[in-house]
Amino acid sequence: LNNRGEDTSGSKDELVRRLQQSDRSGGSTTNRYYDEMNIKELHDELEKRGEKVSGRKQELIGRLRNNDKSSDKPGYEYELMTHEQLHDELEKRGEKVSGRKQELIDRLKTCDESDDLVTEGEYAGRTNRWLRQELRLRGLMFSGNKDELIQRLTEDDNTKGHKYSSMPISDLQKELNNRGEDTSGSKDELVRRLQQSDR
C-alpha cells in the first residue's frame, strides 16, 4: 500500500480491501495487468463481475476498465468481500447475518443508507442487538426491552456520551487529565468517568 501511495492504517481486512480496490482502480498497474491476461482470464474476470464476456481482447479489457471506474460507487467494496467478511461486518453492526452473499451485500448497503439517516428518536427501526451493541460501545447499561434501550440512547444523544465513545483513548485521557480525574483503565471506564464528570 505504501508503494502505491495508499493509506496504510487499519485492520488486515481493511488493508486487503484497499489493495483490492487499488488493483481495480484502473491505474497503470491494473492496465498492465489486464494487458498481460489471456482471453480466458479476461473472460473469467468479466464473468465474476457479471459483465458480458464476448468480444475481442481489447473490448474485454475496455469493459474491465469501465467496470473498474464504477468501483467508486457506494457499497462497491462489499462486492470484493468474502461471505465470511460480509457476515463479520453485519455481526459488528448487530444485523441479521444469514443469507446468500448478495443478500448480505444488499443488507450492508441498506445499513449504510440508514446509518446516514439515524438521528435522535430514529432508533425504532434498529434491532435490539444493534441497540445493545451501541449502548455497550457508549459504556451504558444495555439490558431491558427495546423501548428502554431506545430511551437510554436518546438520552445519551443529549449528552456528550456518544462523542466520548468515538474519541481515541489518548484524547479521553487528556480530557480526564484536564479535569483532574484518574486516566487509568479501559476505554469503557474512561468514557463512564467522563460521563459521570459531566453530571
Side-chain angles (χ1 to χ4, degrees):
L1 282 166
N2 195 40
N3 292 341
R4 300 179 188 198
E6 299 280 347
D7 180 18
T8 57
S9 64
S11 69
K12 182 176 180 180
D13 287 344
E14 290 169 326
L15 300 178
V16 169
R17 270 195 300 269
R18 205 168 294 133
L19 279 169
Q20 290 170 331
Q21 287 172 323
S22 175
D23 285 344
R24 295 169 191 242
S25 68
S28 58
T29 304
T30 307
N31 291 339
R32 279 197 308 275
Y33 176 68
Y34 292 150
D35 290 335
E36 293 167 5
M37 290 172 83
N38 64 38
I39 297 286
K40 181 177 181 341
E41 291 169 326
L42 292 167
H43 279 191
D44 291 346
E45 185 62 29
L46 283 163
E47 199 168 81
K48 267 198 282 187
R49 300 182 190 197
E51 296 286 335
K52 182 178 163 190
V53 297
S54 62
R56 293 184 313 222
K57 183 173 183 173
Q58 287 310 311
E59 292 174 285
L60 303 181
I61 291 171
R63 205 168 295 135
L64 283 168
R65 288 182 182 149
N66 285 338
N67 183 269
D68 287 340
K69 289 176 187 166
S70 71
S71 69
D72 55 2
K73 293 186 291 193
Y76 180 79
E77 69 275 9
Y78 300 136
E79 308 286 341
L80 305 174
M81 294 168 78
T82 65
H83 192 274
E84 187 179 338
Q85 290 169 323
L86 293 166
H87 179 282
D88 292 346
E89 186 63 29
L90 283 163
E91 193 169 57
K92 275 189 233 168
R93 298 178 186 209
E95 296 291 331
K96 182 179 165 193
V97 296
S98 62
R100 294 189 324 264
K101 183 174 181 177
Q102 192 56 52
E103 292 172 314
L104 304 185
I105 290 168
D106 293 342
R107 201 169 299 137
L108 281 167
K109 287 179 180 177
T110 302
C111 272
D112 286 348
E113 291 164 10
S114 65
D115 281 347
D116 295 336
L117 302 175
V118 172
T119 58
E120 182 183 336
E122 293 185 8
Y123 295 112
R126 295 294 188 165
T127 64
N128 283 358
R129 187 174 181 181
W130 186 94
L131 296 168
R132 285 190 182 96
Q133 190 168 2
E134 183 64 22
L135 284 162
R136 196 175 294 129
L137 287 171
R138 296 184 189 193
L140 298 171
M141 190 171 77
F142 50 90
S143 62
N145 64 37
K146 188 169 187 171
D147 289 339
E148 291 169 329
L149 302 178
I150 290 171
Q151 181 181 358
R152 213 167 292 134
L153 282 167
T154 304
E155 287 171 4
D156 190 54
D157 285 342
N158 295 322
T159 69
K160 293 182 180 177
H162 181 61
K163 175 184 164 200
Y164 293 145
S165 65
S166 62
M167 289 169 67
I169 290 176
S170 59
D171 289 352
L172 294 170
Q173 290 171 327
K174 191 184 292 183
E175 182 64 28
L176 282 163
N177 191 43
N178 291 343
R179 299 178 187 198
E181 299 278 349
D182 181 13
T183 60
S184 65
S186 69
K187 183 172 183 174
D188 287 349
E189 291 170 321
L190 301 180
V191 168
R192 267 195 300 277
R193 208 168 291 138
L194 281 167
Q195 289 170 332
Q196 288 167 348
S197 172
D198 285 342
R199 293 173 189 144

